[in-house]
Amino acid sequence: MARYLDVHPDNPQPRLLGQIADALRDDQLIAYPTDSGYALGSRLGNREGRDRILRIRGLDERHHFTLMCKDFAQLGQFVHIDNAAFRAIKAATPGPYTFILPATQEVPRRLMHPKKRTVGVRIPDHVFVQALLGELGEPLLTSTLILPGESEPRGLGWEIKEELDHEVDVVVEAGETPAEPTTVIDWSEGYPEVVRVGAGDPGRFTT
């Protein structure tokens, strides 16, 4: 059974943040709220975590995983960014955007797209996630919690606890969570291509 932790949305309790970070370090899989619905998260080095996410979501090996980063400095360690992308991405973050970019050697090969050698990155505008990333000290391997046959991410922690009680190890509740996925921008070819319209305004990347 998954542990259910109720975290204060504006002032996350340090004790609970520590428990969640320790669970991640112990290679547990968490379901957690973000600024664009719930997501599944595991430590980058958790080999089984990646496979569990694919299994829960009903996805294949070509799925683009995302690294949830605390800030732009951390993001820059894991992807190659040219000057044009740097300015545009920096202006749009933190926020509900995911950017697909060429991965650096810091990204384990199993987390990259198998053919393109790319990975998604994002910086959330969410108090709890920012606090957790600070506690953990590294990005989270993450994927939006959209279940097979559905088109929107889950937004209620108790609902996830009921449905995925034996699939995840920890479910975090932290206030209201919008059920709208990120806007995804593929910048891997040197220019922005909007591949999914979601919570973030795509207009800033199409003009």
Side-chain angles (χ1 to χ4, degrees), residues 61-64 109 111-118 189:
E61 298 287 326
R62 293 167 297 179
H63 174 62
H64 249 121
R109 182 167 291 187
L111 305 184
M112 300 179 192
H113 188 280
K115 289 185 177 177
K116 299 179 180 179
R117 299 284 186 243
T118 51
E189 299 296 329

Side-chain angles (χ1 to χ4, degrees), residues 60-97:
D60 62 24
E61 298 287 326
R62 293 167 297 179
H63 174 62
H64 249 121
F65 278 98
T66 296
L67 307 184
M68 186 76 83
C69 300
K70 178 170 175 54
D71 52 31
F72 207 85
Q74 190 177 76
L75 181 149
Q77 297 174 38
F78 295 90
V79 289
H80 296 288
I81 311 176
D82 63 25
N83 287 337
F86 178 93
R87 287 191 296 271
I89 294 172
K90 196 154 180 26
T93 54
Y97 294 94

Side-chain angles (χ1 to χ4, degrees), residues 32 34 39-42 53 63-68 122 140-144:
Y32 69 105
T34 76
L40 297 166
S42 79
I53 291 172
H63 174 62
H64 249 121
F65 278 98
T66 296
L67 307 184
M68 186 76 83
R122 87 179 201 86
L140 265 178
L141 176 67
T142 194
S143 183
T144 307

Side-chain angles (χ1 to χ4, degrees), residues 114-206:
K115 289 185 177 177
K116 299 179 180 179
R117 299 284 186 243
T118 51
V119 72
V121 285
R122 87 179 201 86
I123 302 170
D125 185 13
H126 195 275
V127 172
F128 162 73
V129 185
Q130 284 287 341
L132 177 61
L133 291 169
E135 179 75 21
L136 189 62
E138 62 178 81
L140 265 178
L141 176 67
T142 194
S143 183
T144 307
L145 183 41
I146 301 174
L147 294 175
E150 299 183 358
S151 59
E152 293 184 345
R154 292 303 178 94
L156 298 170
W158 62 267
E159 194 178 74
I160 294 165
K161 169 80 165 96
E162 284 188 355
E163 193 159 351
L164 299 180
D165 204 19
H166 299 286
E167 302 287 335
V168 301
D169 302 302
V170 178
V171 177
V172 180
E173 186 81 66
E176 285 190 33
T177 305
E180 188 175 11
T182 58
T183 292
V184 179
I185 313 294
D186 187 337
W187 216 304
S188 59
E189 299 296 329
Y191 58 88
E193 179 186 355
V194 178
V195 294
R196 181 177 73 191
V197 176
D201 176 15
R204 64 196 306 160
F205 297 101
T206 57

Side-chain angles (χ1 to χ4, degrees), residues 18-30:
Q19 288 180 20
I20 299 164
D22 285 344
L24 288 162
R25 294 185 188 108
D26 288 341
D27 287 346
Q28 294 185 27
L29 182 66
I30 70 169

